[in-house]
Amino acid sequence: MTEMRPRSFAMFRLPSTVRVLEWGCLLVIGFVVLYPLFWLVVGSFRPDPISSDFTLDAYFAIFEAEYMGEVLWNTAVMSAGVTSLSVLIGVPLAWIVGRTDTPLRNYINMIAILPFIMPPVVVAVAWAYLGTPRVGFVNLFWKWLAGTKEPLFDIFTMGGLIFVMALSLAPYVFIFTVTAFKNMDPTLENAAHVSGANQWKTTLRITLPMAAPAILSGALLTFIQSLEVFAIPATIGVSGGIYVFSTQLWRMMLGIPPNFSHAAAMSIPILLVCGLALWGQTRALGRSARYTTVAGKSFRPRLVELGPWKYVALAFASFYLLVSAILPVLTLIYGTFISNRGRPPTFEYLTLGHIHEIITGDGGAVILRSIQNSLFLSFMGATIGIALSAVVAYFVVRSTWKGRGTLDFLALIPVAIPGAVIALAMLWAYIREPFNLYHTLWIILIAYITRFLPFGVRSVSNSITQIHEELERAAAVSGANWGVVFWKILVPLAMPGIVAGWIILFVSMMRELSASIMLFSSNKEVISTILIQLYDEGLFSHVCILSLIIVILSLGSVAMVRWLTKQKDVEGLT
Amino acid sequence: MQNVRVEKLVKRFGEVVAVAGISFEVPKGKLLTLLGPSGCGKTTTLNIIAGFETPDDGDVHVGERLISSASESVLVPAHKRNLGMVFQSYGLWPHLRVRDNVAFGLQMRNTPKNEIAGAVERALGLVRLDGLGERYPSQLSGGQQQRVAFARALVYEPDVLLLDEPLSNLDAALREEMRLELKELQTESGITTIFVTHDQVEAMVMSDIIVVMNEGRIEQMGSPSDIYQHPANQFVAGFVGISNFLEGEVVATGASEAQTAVKVGEVPLLCKSTGVSEGSKVLLSIRPEDCVASLEAPPEGTPNVIECSVEKAVYMGGVLELWLNAADQKIRVHGHRLPLLESGASVYVSIDPASINAIKGSSLS
């Protein structure tokens, strides 16, 4: 009983079935990611979506447009400011948590999950309420404290925009940097001490330079995110008359008639910048992995004893948590239960009326419908997305096929595409034959799956990497073919990662805004678009309730993911 | 039960030749060990036999069945080879109970359910794990996990058993115990076995045949005693046990065994050798434990007595480890019942001619 085989046949897999699956997977991912981008590029050379003429008009038009200079300048100032401020916040926090004896540092470490609990849209609306010059809660408190009539600050400025964005994005710098700090081989620092360097010199000359690639990696991701995040420029920026790239794109699409070609033309350079940043980010990350000792060896890095300074460090970290999470959440709780905005939160002014209003549908029908839509989209999207991710992750991690590098790269691309640009590309690609998906939930679904594919793939591939290859080989030797190995061994063992990935996708989709806002249509609203709509209408309590729902959903999911990852440890998978 | 024939196997990883055209045969029911340092190609060879690597050239037969052949484009996938394998880290599936781990291979072979239960019980009994079937692998000790891995590999009566350094994850005491147990298990079940290890003691204890590998080639193949007592070259002598190497020149070839006269510097020594000619350069390999060290000169007529000066002496408990200067070359000797010697002291070392191997044409490398 023998079989013919191609020369590159590897491992125990049935060559035909597996190769077909690998090609199929590559084609699906390639299509999902590249087809819209193709239409985006084509679209930028056409006068309108229906025409098939070739023209450079759109490029000239945006180049000459008077708003362009201002939008470019705003975007540059914002991105540079947000990236720098995030590094200034994130790196010290990472050092405090990873390398000092600051009390409560394990709690401060929660910053790592903050972006997951506090999506930008929530931070944005909460800070809009906190930082309004006249009636913002922080300013009211300041006026009372200082006894003046002058507000402390105005959030609807470039400074305010940068401040809120950095609050929201600093955790990315933190996550990358704290990992590097924690995985650093302590002997390298001990060697510096022995050579005569004191604590500060060691930190400045050894510790920080070794963490530099990780810091750069986090900073570049923050930069990409600063172009990508839509909620904060759309609330705080637009309220202050500050338009940046993403909100400008939105403005073009809202125009009557929407200016598809100009929007497409404006997206191309941003796409290139993001692509470049992503390329730099992966390179920096690879470099960082070389600088730190990864898995296998476990040691406790040496902690710096800060003495009385540890209370300063604690105060710094607490202040960050206060402004990025505690104050916003308090605002939302206040808004949910207070009868009228501005009332003191005493018992007589508390009410369940706003919640009642939404549930009974008095003006809440739209809200309920949007929650339904979001639940449907997120459930479907997470399920399809994670199934696709599992197959992609399996081939990327385990296959010896030459195409796996391409597959890996394709599945990473969406990280570098701002949601608004994905949405625009989707519009170009799917409103035409043979899809005709305009004004449907399906186009939003495809956009969600495309956008969050990289997160699903990463979650599952982390999990598969931890499964010892001998477990699959043992099954193969025992007589299991490829399909049996996949279903009976791999999927059960990777289940914690698959479920965690599903939850991550679900939550990300529940609150997605930047693509949804371009793709939704009437009756097809989702939670986040309604949230922005309610904010624009000034419905304070409704905004707070909806935001609180998002926060609670996110918190629950984080708890689930944590629990699942713990389960994995207990089972002792190696 | 089948024999295994490996013919002219070649595997390259890019520029690196991992396996350079090796051939060997495992007779039915015997245990053959692939022994060598890491990177010698032993694991690659095993993985080719198992079906995890594609060879660039060469054939593998199990009995009359060709399972892998580059020239005939035959590559039976691993799951159709009917082999059993025990992995370095055991490869027990953590999500399945011990019972289900063992039953897996039978399920893949569509064995009826009622037969599976009995077969699993017997297999667990064979490895003395009765009653532990309901446990999960993580609830077992290292030695027990090891045995589950054996039961899992043997339960469906494969043609050949492959062992990939299965003892290397155990602590020293348990390893010694499992070594003997494993050998018993193999002899009892009479299964043809290929064993991969870098531990020479393990290889000595367990093997019927040892294949010593280095840099993708076979250095020597033979029984354990053969390999130890008649190392074919310096690599084998050095890798299997500890050896002293002395450079010398043949002055006379004797008629009978152990009668070849070799001059090491100015010191004449008798040793055994085959096929060396007068005047040729040879390398003598001498095991430290074959040297007898004494403070007084041995009686007249004792062959191969060398007067040496002590360079270093280390007390090791049962023996005194001596580094000596013999005829301007260094040798290492195990001294018994000797006082702790100072460096510079002089001792007599005598060596039985039958335990000196002359390896021809070699020079110290």
Side-chain angles (χ1 to χ4, degrees):
Chain A
M1 204 180 64
T2 55
E3 296 180 13
M4 300 297 289
R5 49 111 193 171
R7 192 149 181 90
S8 60
F9 165 67
M11 313 288 301
F12 46 84
R13 286 146 208 155
L14 279 170
S16 49
T17 332
V18 172
R19 208 36 52 84
V20 166
L21 279 171
E22 281 169 343
W23 273 107
C25 186
L26 185 67
L27 287 176
V28 168
I29 300 299
F31 177 83
V32 165
V33 174
L34 297 181
Y35 181 72
L37 287 182
F38 164 78
W39 275 108
L40 183 72
V41 175
V42 170
S44 69
F45 294 110
R46 289 194 172 168
D48 59 75
I50 311 130
S51 158
S52 55
D53 299 340
F54 175 88
T55 167
L56 287 171
D57 286 357
Y59 286 95
F60 285 120
I62 59 160
F63 196 70
E64 287 161 3
E66 51 196 297
Y67 58 77
M68 209 51 212
E70 195 190 318
V71 167
L72 270 182
W73 172 248
N74 284 344
T75 309
V77 170
M78 176 192 71
S79 287
V82 169
T83 309
S84 320
L85 189 56
S86 295
V87 169
L88 286 178
I89 298 172
V91 173
L93 282 175
W95 186 71
I96 287 168
V97 169
R99 303 305 300 277
T100 70
D101 62 345
T102 304
L104 301 176
R105 57 182 182 281
N106 289 339
Y107 293 95
I108 305 171
N109 195 25
M110 294 219 298
I111 293 164
I113 51 172
L114 216 52
F116 208 67
I117 300 172
M118 300 290 295
V121 67
V122 171
V123 181
V125 295
W127 266 99
Y129 296 138
L130 283 163
T132 314
R134 219 159 37 79
V135 292
F137 300 121
V138 173
N139 281 322
L140 287 177
F141 180 69
W142 168 257
K143 288 178 199 168
W144 172 79
L145 191 74
T148 97
K149 286 199 174 326
E150 284 303 300
L152 182 61
F153 61 90
D154 178 1
I155 202 76
F156 303 117
T157 54
M158 179 54 89
L161 178 61
I162 290 175
F163 169 75
V164 178
M165 288 257 274
L167 283 186
S168 189
L169 298 180
Y172 291 101
V173 177
F174 173 84
I175 291 167
F176 282 90
T177 314
V178 82
T179 314
F181 278 149
K182 282 185 174 172
N183 291 342
M184 223 171 253
D185 186 345
T187 51
L188 296 173
E189 282 166 40
N190 292 347
H193 286 299
V194 171
S195 312
N198 65 19
Q199 188 58 63
W200 286 110
K201 278 189 178 145
T202 305
T203 303
L204 288 176
R205 300 274 305 273
I206 307 294
T207 316
L208 274 177
M210 284 206 303
I215 296 172
L216 180 64
S217 172
L220 283 170
L221 197 70
T222 305
F223 173 78
I224 296 175
Q225 286 288 313
S226 74
L227 291 172
E228 136 73 33
V229 168
F230 180 80
I232 302 171
T235 49
I236 290 172
V238 171
S239 302
I242 304 162
Y243 279 86
V244 296
F245 159 73
S246 55
T247 38
Q248 176 59 35
L249 206 63
W250 183 42
R251 192 155 69 164
M252 287 169 162
M253 300 297 293
L254 282 186
I256 300 172
N259 205 331
F260 285 104
S261 322
H262 290 194
M266 195 173 70
S267 300
I268 305 292
I270 294 293
L271 212 51
L272 292 178
V273 171
C274 285
L276 205 65
L278 181 69
W279 176 77
Q281 199 261 342
T282 39
R283 274 189 59 113
L285 200 61
R287 187 100 172 248
S288 150
R290 280 212 303 278
Y291 276 27
T292 55
T293 317
V294 223
K297 221 172 169 184
S298 83
F299 41 65
R300 285 200 68 78
R302 199 185 150 106
L303 297 182
V304 177
E305 285 169 23
L306 290 180
W309 287 98
K310 65 187 174 191
Y311 298 108
V312 178
L314 180 61
F316 174 67
S318 309
F319 182 73
Y320 172 75
L321 282 171
L322 181 76
V323 295
S324 66
I326 297 168
L327 282 184
V329 169
L330 286 179
T331 307
L332 301 182
I333 295 173
Y334 170 80
T336 301
F337 296 108
I338 204 75
S339 57
N340 284 83
R341 183 177 176 185
R343 298 272 188 215
T346 50
F347 195 74
E348 53 186 317
Y349 296 117
L350 296 186
T351 172
L352 290 172
H354 304 304
I355 300 176
H356 185 76
E357 229 173 81
I358 290 183
I359 295 173
T360 53
D362 280 352
V366 186
I367 298 178
L368 280 185
R369 188 173 62 216
S370 77
I371 294 177
Q372 274 173 12
N373 283 341
S374 276
L375 281 173
F376 169 78
L377 285 169
S378 308
F379 188 86
M380 292 284 289
T383 308
I384 299 171
I386 205 66
L388 207 55
S389 299
V391 180
V392 172
Y394 176 75
F395 287 137
V396 166
V397 176
R398 282 291 202 261
S399 173
T400 50
W401 180 45
K402 287 196 180 67
R404 61 178 277 251
T406 315
L407 189 61
D408 194 15
F409 175 70
L410 280 175
L412 186 67
I413 289 180
V415 172
I417 313 177
V421 175
I422 286 196
L424 183 64
M426 295 270 169
L427 280 176
W428 273 100
Y430 296 119
I431 57 173
R432 62 189 65 247
E433 298 294 334
F435 299 100
N436 288 326
L437 293 178
Y438 198 39
H439 284 235
T440 63
L441 281 180
W442 304 114
I443 193 165
I444 305 182
L445 184 69
I446 299 173
Y448 284 3
I449 294 172
T450 312
R451 270 207 74 181
F452 298 116
L453 185 71
F455 302 102
V457 171
R458 193 185 310 160
S459 176
V460 183
S461 64
N462 281 346
S463 192
I464 293 180
T465 314
Q466 284 173 33
I467 299 170
H468 204 301
E469 204 167 3
E470 282 185 357
L471 295 174
E472 289 156 66
R473 291 185 167 188
V477 166
S478 305
N481 64 29
W482 181 84
V484 175
V485 174
F486 190 82
W487 277 114
K488 295 199 102 166
I489 306 298
L490 211 91
V491 169
L493 289 175
M495 202 38 105
I498 293 175
V499 176
W502 188 90
I503 295 173
I504 290 169
L505 293 192
F506 182 80
V507 173
S508 306
M509 291 172 183
M510 274 304 277
R511 63 203 205 189
E512 208 287 341
L513 175 65
S514 51
S516 315
I517 198 113
M518 311 272 263
L519 296 172
F520 85 97
S521 43
S522 72
N523 294 338
K524 308 286 187 292
E525 305 90 347
V526 296
I527 290 185
S528 55
T529 59
I530 285 293
L531 192 62
I532 292 296
Q533 209 171 308
L534 294 173
Y535 170 81
D536 284 342
E537 289 167 18
L539 292 167
F540 174 63
S541 55
H542 286 185
V543 169
C544 288
I545 292 172
L546 216 47
S547 301
L548 206 56
I549 290 176
I550 295 179
V551 171
I552 290 167
L553 256 172
S554 306
L555 255 177
S557 312
V558 169
M560 286 275 286
V561 172
R562 291 239 140 173
W563 184 75
L564 280 164
T565 12
K566 264 217 184 96
Q567 289 301 106
K568 189 169 60 181
D569 293 341
V570 172
E571 272 181 48
L573 300 186
T574 46
Chain B
M1 196 188 10
Q2 298 288 355
N3 67 338
V4 178
R5 269 183 298 133
V6 171
E7 282 155 31
K8 301 197 179 98
L9 210 57
V10 176
K11 176 68 187 178
R12 284 179 287 265
F13 292 109
E15 295 289 294
V16 183
V17 181
V19 178
I22 65 169
S23 306
F24 59 85
E25 183 178 348
V26 196
K28 274 186 196 180
K30 298 292 183 194
L31 190 149
L32 176 140
T33 297
L34 298 173
L35 173 68
S38 62
C40 73
K42 55 188 194 299
T43 302
T44 308
T45 306
L46 196 75
N47 280 339
I48 291 172
I49 297 170
F52 300 138
E53 301 275 8
T54 312
D56 292 308
D57 207 355
D59 297 351
V60 180
H61 278 90
V62 172
E64 288 312 303
R65 182 178 170 214
L66 181 63
I67 57 168
S68 174
S69 168
S71 56
E72 291 182 43
S73 286
V74 171
L75 195 78
V76 179
H79 67 273
K80 290 185 179 164
R81 293 191 176 195
N82 196 31
L83 308 172
M85 187 159 179
V86 177
F87 296 86
Q88 189 165 10
S89 58
Y90 318 139
L92 297 181
W93 302 302
H95 63 303
L96 299 180
R97 291 174 196 278
V98 166
R99 176 187 308 289
D100 299 319
N101 261 281
V102 178
F104 188 86
L106 294 170
Q107 287 161 356
M108 292 304 116
R109 284 164 177 74
N110 295 320
T111 311
K113 269 209 173 106
N114 49 347
E115 285 176 36
I116 290 182
V120 169
E121 280 313 309
R122 276 195 302 282
L124 287 176
L126 186 71
V127 296
R128 297 192 281 116
L129 284 179
D130 316 67
L132 294 184
E134 295 306 315
R135 300 254 184 109
Y136 281 97
S138 58
Q139 296 169 313
L140 301 181
S141 70
Q144 288 172 324
Q145 291 184 15
Q146 169 75 270
R147 286 183 205 160
V148 175
F150 269 94
R152 185 178 72 180
L154 289 173
V155 70
Y156 49 84
E157 295 173 2
D159 292 331
V160 180
L161 181 62
L162 307 177
L163 307 175
D164 182 12
E165 309 220 15
L167 301 176
S168 62
N169 274 353
L170 300 175
D171 62 59
L174 194 57
R175 188 156 55 210
E176 213 157 299
E177 188 188 321
M178 284 303 293
R179 228 181 248 157
L180 297 170
E181 202 176 309
L182 223 160
K183 179 61 188 165
E184 260 170 49
L185 210 63
Q186 190 266 330
T187 327
E188 262 171 52
S189 59
I191 187 168
T192 311
T193 304
I194 300 176
F195 178 59
V196 160
T197 186
H198 61 266
D199 184 329
Q200 35 133 345
V201 183
E202 235 165 73
M204 289 290 152
V205 174
M206 297 180 50
S207 318
D208 296 304
I209 303 165
I210 294 179
V211 174
V212 183
M213 289 185 69
N214 184 32
E215 294 179 344
R217 292 172 201 290
I218 294 180
E219 296 280 356
Q220 192 177 0
M221 192 168 5
S223 70
S225 62
D226 216 29
I227 299 274
Y228 194 79
Q229 286 162 17
H230 311 285
N233 53 41
Q234 194 189 348
F235 176 81
V236 176
F239 188 75
V240 181
I242 300 166
S243 257
N244 293 296
F245 296 105
L246 297 176
E247 283 173 346
E249 193 184 315
V250 178
V251 287
T253 53
S256 61
E257 177 86 332
Q259 289 294 313
T260 305
V262 172
K263 214 166 177 183
V264 176
E266 291 306 309
V267 182
L269 290 176
L270 285 177
C271 62
K272 63 177 183 192
S273 80
T274 43
V276 294
S277 54
E278 253 172 68
S280 63
K281 298 260 187 224
V282 289
L283 197 62
L284 303 183
S285 120
I286 305 165
R287 303 280 183 198
E289 68 269 21
D290 290 331
C291 302
V292 181
S294 57
L295 292 176
E296 278 138 40
E300 202 65 29
T302 311
N304 292 346
V305 176
I306 318 171
E307 195 181 346
C308 310
S309 65
V310 176
E311 292 211 329
K312 193 167 62 170
V314 179
Y315 183 63
M316 306 258 299
V319 297
L320 192 65
E321 181 106 31
L322 295 168
W323 277 265
L324 305 174
N325 189 323
D328 284 334
Q329 301 192 42
K330 287 184 179 43
I331 62 169
R332 200 164 147 195
V333 165
H334 291 167
H336 293 269
R337 286 183 282 281
L338 286 175
L340 184 56
L341 295 165
E342 300 274 321
S343 76
S346 86
V347 290
Y348 295 92
V349 170
S350 63
I351 311 155
D352 179 3
S355 57
I356 305 181
N357 279 293
I359 300 162
K360 59 182 166 180
S362 317
S363 68
L364 211 49
S365 53

